[in-house]
């Protein structure tokens, strides 16, 4: 297992280097010059040349790439061309909104999806089994922004129980107020995520319920609950863990839609602002942090699968992937 962790860590670092390289190249292929963010309309060629020297876009691409990688190694994401503030500190402030939003929505979705998905599989012959599965399919089909607007209409505009959007200026100095501001966005994301997870949990549970080892355990005298706890839960959790990692990464990347609906100052709105202002350091920084988060989530999910499933650990011990 230790050798596997070393290999996966090396693969993670290589993936980060490859992602940073691809990000650098793709942004340089976009039309326009980053120096334009510093210049007024109708700037002279001399002003353009001075601005390019100021931000380093006049250097050869290999030198720019080396400076970019060196900054990443020092956790230095550069300085915003518009606000003139360090991109790293601005991203850290935005993560204080995006990370709690993502984790709270993920926790709520898992808390709903696991029991509902299991019930939909266990009671598939009852009327509410297909009903739960149908509701899950409907939840997947409904756009997340529509759910957000519906929740705002009901709970913010009509019932006036929760704020329609925004986030406290003092951030988390008042946790109760901050959590209240995140309540509707969290529920919006959790509705869509839980709908997807319910289907995967149901499919994994159906496979376990029809397995030979579960029938054998029942024939040897184990109760249904005992057989599921000792044998079924671990086997059903292996594919679910992989899906949980994908859903968490997707939610982190897709938070921009929900943050826009609820006017949250998160990482997604920061990226949209950087794109609108042609602020290349902001765009690079946000995409680099997002890519790093997705790769780390995938790494954690892969390791968790091998800790849960002894067959995968046997493959690792045998030198197979």
């Amino acid at each position: 297992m230790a050798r596997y962790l070393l290999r996966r860590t090396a693969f993670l670092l290589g993936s980060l280097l490859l992602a940073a390289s691809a990000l650098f190249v793709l942004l340089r292929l976009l039309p326009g010059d980053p120096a334009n963010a510093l210049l007024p309309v109708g700037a002279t060629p001399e002003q353009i040349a001075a601005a390019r020297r100021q931000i380093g876009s006049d250097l050869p691409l290999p030198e720019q790439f080396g400076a970019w990688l060196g900054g990443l190694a020092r956790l230095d994401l550069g300085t915003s061309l518009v606000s003139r503030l360090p991109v790293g500190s601005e991203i850290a402030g935005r993560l204080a909104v995006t990370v709690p939003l993502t984790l709270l929505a993920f926790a709520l979705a898992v808390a709903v999806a696991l029991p509902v998905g299991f019930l939909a599989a266990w009671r598939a012959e009852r009327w509410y089994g297909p009903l739960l599965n149908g509701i899950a399919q409907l939840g997947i089909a409904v756009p997340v922004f529509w759910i957000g607007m519906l929740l705002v209409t009901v709970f913010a505009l009509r019932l006036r129980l929760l704020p329609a959007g925004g986030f406290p200026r003092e951030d988390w100095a008042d946790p109760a107020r901050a959590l209240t501001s995140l309540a509707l966005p969290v529920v919006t994301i959790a509705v869509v995520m839980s709908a997807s997870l319910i289907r995967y949990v149901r499919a994994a549970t159906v496979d376990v319920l029809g397995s030979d080892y579960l029938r054998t355990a029942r024939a040897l005298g184990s109760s249904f609950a005992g057989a599921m706890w000792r044998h079924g839960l671990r086997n059903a959790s292996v594919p679910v863990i992989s899906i949980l990692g994908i859903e968490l990464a997707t939610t982190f990347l897709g938070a921009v839609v929900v943050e826009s609906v609820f006017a949250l100052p998160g990482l997604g709105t920061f990226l949209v602002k950087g794109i609108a202002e042609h602020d290349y350091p902001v765009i690079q920084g946000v995409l680099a942090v997002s890519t790093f988060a997705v790769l780390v989530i995938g790494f954690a999910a892969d390791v968790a699968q091998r800790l849960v499933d002894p067959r995968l650990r046997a493959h690792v011990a045998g030198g197979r992937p």
Side-chain angles (χ1 to χ4, degrees):
M1 192 65 183
R3 288 200 306 270
Y4 165 76
L5 289 176
L6 289 175
R7 288 200 305 270
R8 285 293 289 133
T9 302
F11 179 77
L12 174 63
L13 294 176
S15 299
L16 289 173
L17 178 60
L18 182 61
S21 304
L23 176 61
F24 177 85
V25 172
L26 290 175
L27 285 178
R28 295 311 181 278
L29 293 177
L30 295 177
D33 194 319
N36 292 333
L38 301 175
L39 298 169
V41 178
T44 64
E46 292 77 13
Q47 290 175 317
I48 296 175
R52 298 189 74 227
R53 286 193 300 270
Q54 180 180 343
I55 65 174
S57 62
D58 62 329
L59 298 174
L61 286 180
E63 292 187 32
Q64 294 185 43
F65 182 62
W68 159 242
L69 289 183
L72 286 181
R74 300 189 306 271
L75 302 181
D76 180 8
L77 299 177
T79 302
S80 170
L81 302 180
V82 177
S83 67
R84 306 300 176 89
L85 296 174
V87 173
S89 62
E90 292 208 65
I91 287 178
R94 304 283 181 148
L95 286 175
V97 176
T98 300
V99 171
L101 170 65
T102 304
L103 294 181
L104 289 173
F106 179 75
L108 179 59
V110 171
V112 172
L114 292 183
V116 172
F118 175 79
L119 184 62
W122 184 34
R123 291 292 185 247
E125 74 284 356
R126 304 287 181 88
W127 63 270
Y128 50 83
L131 176 63
L132 293 174
N133 191 40
I135 293 174
Q137 292 179 343
L138 179 63
I140 295 173
V142 176
V144 64
F145 67 86
W146 187 86
I147 295 176
M149 291 188 293
L150 178 64
L151 292 176
V152 167
T153 302
V154 175
F155 293 98
L157 300 181
R158 293 190 178 179
L159 300 179
R160 300 185 181 277
L161 296 176
L162 295 168
F167 198 75
R169 289 182 178 272
E170 61 274 15
D171 291 334
W172 289 92
D174 186 353
R177 188 180 174 194
L179 288 173
T180 302
S181 300
L182 291 180
L184 289 182
V186 164
V187 173
T188 300
I189 297 175
V191 167
V192 177
M193 187 190 301
S194 61
S196 177
L197 288 176
I198 286 171
R199 296 189 61 195
Y200 289 110
V201 172
R202 179 185 179 277
T205 306
V206 167
D207 289 341
V208 168
L209 293 176
S211 62
D212 292 335
Y213 60 81
L214 191 68
R215 285 194 293 266
T216 301
R218 294 296 307 279
L220 293 177
S222 296
S223 64
F224 174 77
M228 283 297 297
W229 179 258
R230 295 185 59 187
H231 306 287
L233 183 61
R234 175 174 292 186
N235 287 278
S237 64
V238 173
V240 173
I241 288 174
S242 177
I243 298 302
L244 288 177
I246 294 173
E247 289 291 335
L248 181 57
T250 302
T251 301
F252 183 81
L253 292 176
V256 57
V257 177
V258 175
E259 289 176 358
S260 299
V261 171
F262 292 95
L264 294 175
L267 200 64
T269 52
F270 190 43
L271 175 61
V272 172
K273 180 174 177 288
I275 293 173
E277 296 174 343
H278 302 285
D279 196 340
Y280 277 60
V282 168
I283 300 172
Q284 287 185 152
V286 173
L287 293 180
V289 170
S290 301
T291 303
F292 176 77
V294 170
L295 290 175
V296 169
I297 291 170
F299 171 81
D302 197 28
V303 172
Q305 278 186 309
R306 278 156 177 78
L307 292 176
V308 169
D309 193 342
R311 295 169 299 180
L312 296 178
R313 293 201 299 272
H315 282 197
V316 172
R320 293 183 293 273

